[in-house]
Amino acid sequence: MTGSLHIDWTRCDGRGLCTELLATLLTRDDWGYPISRRGDGIRGEVPIAPGHEEAAREAVILCPKLALTLRPPAKSS
Amino acid sequence: MNEAAWAVGRVSGFVALFLFTGSVLLGIASRSGRPVFGLPRFSVTLLHRNVALLGTVFLALHVGTLLLDPLARLNPIDLLVPFLGAFRPFWQGLGTVALDLVLAVVITAFLRHRIGQRAFKAAHWFTYVAWPVALAHAVGNGTNGTDKLFLVSAAASVAAVAGAVLWRLSPTFLETARARQSLAGEERPR
């Protein structure tokens, strides 16, 4: 795993750019907000599958509400 | 040489205004969260940005060539302080106001990730002042600003932008407006 995409729900407005850029990782709920396709874990913490790092960076840069940040992989302790 | 600077100065001003009109429309479209012309949302955002930047390049060309042109008698101070111009100072001053507002919008857009959403957005509202001011500058200051062809296209631009602003203010502007309105009063799922 190569880290995760953190969604700040206080900022997210469900504009749908991230769900287009990361269509294999994210889908939209009925109100347009992003949800992880894997459907497990914390909703605001989307694991970035290998090969999607660049798209995740694009999503962070282009998010119109600055609601996304990249988080490094959690260390197993 | 002077003829060229004069010609480029005038045409580039027109092109810049045309591109900024497109950018305002694309910006409003991207704000709605909808795909436009079959383009995905992130493409609409990028197109909005790139058309605006191209407009800024033509704006720099417009101002730069007229600085060199002896006929326009533009001084460097005119880039910062409005209404000091030698030729039609009021209408030229509107150009100065629009230029400075555009620079503020572009610089804050580049720094969006550093200065934060609130400051970026606050400066971005300036576009709604800069665009009509730039259009007034073109009509009042442009050598062909009151030509019938230009006035017709200016009126069409005003109609397009006004229509987009009305759409922007309508309750169903957001792509997700209907879905969210039907849920009014209920808690948003997490």
Side-chain angles (χ1 to χ4, degrees), chain A residues 13 20 31 61 63-64, chain B residues 31 41 112-113 117 180 190:
Chain A
D13 192 33
E20 285 176 329
W31 303 274
I61 292 168
C63 174
Chain B
R31 177 63 179 80
R41 296 165 186 84
R112 189 170 70 108
H113 282 264
Q117 185 70 8
R180 291 180 191 175
R190 290 275 144 138

Side-chain angles (χ1 to χ4, degrees), chain A residues 9 12-17 20-21 28-33 43 60-66, chain B residues 30-31 33 35 40-42 45-46 49 112-113 116-117 174-176 179-180 183 188-190:
Chain A
W9 293 116
C12 178
D13 192 33
R15 298 281 182 79
L17 275 78
E20 285 176 329
L21 287 162
R28 300 178 89 182
D29 68 13
D30 292 345
W31 303 274
Y33 297 95
R43 200 180 152 176
V60 170
I61 292 168
L62 288 177
C63 174
K65 302 296 279 184
L66 296 181
Chain B
S30 76
R31 177 63 179 80
R41 296 165 186 84
F42 60 87
T45 296
L46 288 173
R49 183 191 75 182
R112 189 170 70 108
H113 282 264
Q117 185 70 8
L174 279 182
E175 180 194 28
T176 48
R180 291 180 191 175
L183 202 77
R188 194 176 110 195
R190 290 275 144 138

Side-chain angles (χ1 to χ4, degrees), chain B residues 121-133:
Chain B
K121 192 71 190 175
H124 230 67
W125 286 115
F126 287 157
T127 46
Y128 288 110
V129 180
W131 186 81
V133 167

Side-chain angles (χ1 to χ4, degrees), chain B residues 62-64 66-76 78-79 92:
Chain B
H62 172 62
V63 173
L66 292 182
L67 272 176
L68 298 176
D69 181 69
L71 210 61
R73 283 183 288 165
L74 199 61
N75 278 315
D78 291 327
L79 305 189
Q92 190 190 86

Side-chain angles (χ1 to χ4, degrees), chain B residues 78-154:
Chain B
D78 291 327
L79 305 189
L80 278 177
V81 186
F83 312 121
L84 298 180
F87 176 69
R88 298 188 192 168
F90 173 72
W91 299 105
Q92 190 190 86
L94 293 184
T96 304
V97 171
L99 169 72
D100 294 346
L101 290 175
V102 165
L103 289 180
V105 168
V106 170
I107 291 167
T108 51
F110 271 118
L111 296 175
R112 189 170 70 108
H113 282 264
R114 282 173 188 269
I115 62 176
Q117 185 70 8
R118 195 173 294 220
F120 157 77
K121 192 71 190 175
H124 230 67
W125 286 115
F126 287 157
T127 46
Y128 288 110
V129 180
W131 186 81
V133 167
L135 186 72
H137 161 72
V139 172
N141 214 32
T143 309
N144 305 99
T146 46
D147 284 9
K148 198 176 175 189
L149 184 65
F150 184 76
L151 286 179
V152 167
S153 59

